[in-house]
Amino acid sequence: ESIDKIVVTQTSGSGDDFTEGDDVTISATVWCWSTGSSDYVDFYYASDASDPAWNQIGDRQQCPGGGVQTITATYTLPQGSIQAVRANLLYGSSTASAASCTSGGYDDTDDLVITVKPNQPVGPPTSPPTANPTPNPSPNPTPQPSNPPTPVPSNPPTAPPTPIPTS
């Protein structure tokens, strides 16, 4: 049994960056033993990867079969600029637990750290509006161009094409 890969993808929100308040999906690619009936996966998140306090996401999930499987969980990103997600693969335990790290001989735990942008509220413009409006237009318009347009082309046209190709 092993966790091979953890991927976090955005399921709501705008742009390419993770932002506080976005819904994200964690996908764990795991190897489950035999039929998978004895293997379970827990998902966790921590809003501060440097000092993680792990919060379980949803319920413990049983492997859907043996061999390579992808198991997912979805949650909303909390506040915090450097966050972490964790997947636990457990052998033989279907009872939910607050333990976010297991130590069984066939268990595996992997973490992934992600950066998250703050959810900035839309506020007033960065600079105040102009205090004085633009003055009225000038009573005297701009004078006409100083030089008149050229009446004829300055170069003679090129010669017409020859009817027979040259070699």
Side-chain angles (χ1 to χ4, degrees), residues 8-10 12-19 22 24 115 117:
V8 179
T9 55
Q10 191 177 45
S12 76
S14 60
D16 296 328
D17 297 323
F18 295 132
T19 303
D22 286 351
V24 295
T115 57
K117 286 184 162 184

Side-chain angles (χ1 to χ4, degrees), residues 4-165:
D4 288 355
K5 175 172 63 172
I6 300 174
V7 176
V8 179
T9 55
Q10 191 177 45
T11 55
S12 76
S14 60
D16 296 328
D17 297 323
F18 295 132
T19 303
E20 294 170 352
D22 286 351
D23 290 331
V24 295
T25 298
I26 306 169
S27 299
T29 302
V30 299
W31 279 89
C32 301
W33 181 72
S34 184
T35 64
S37 63
S38 296
D39 290 325
Y40 299 87
V41 177
D42 287 336
F43 290 99
Y44 297 87
Y45 73 89
S47 60
D48 181 359
S50 66
D51 186 21
W54 297 106
N55 299 284
Q56 188 167 1
I57 303 167
D59 295 326
R60 179 165 289 174
Q61 299 180 49
Q62 185 177 28
C63 282
V68 66
Q69 302 290 330
T70 300
I71 301 174
T72 63
T74 300
Y75 78 107
T76 302
L77 291 171
Q79 290 182 334
S81 60
I82 306 292
Q83 300 187 23
V85 296
R86 170 173 282 181
N88 272 346
L89 176 64
L90 304 100
Y91 172 75
S93 175
S94 61
T95 304
S97 168
S100 56
C101 190
T102 62
S103 60
Y106 298 105
D107 295 353
D108 192 11
T109 301
D110 284 341
D111 299 337
L112 177 68
V113 175
I114 58 174
T115 57
V116 179
K117 286 184 162 184
N119 189 354
Q120 298 290 340
V122 177
T126 55
S127 60
T130 306
N132 297 323
T134 305
N136 290 332
S138 168
N140 301 321
T142 306
Q144 293 296 322
S146 57
N147 295 327
T150 307
V152 292
S154 56
N155 293 324
T158 58
T162 59
I164 300 172

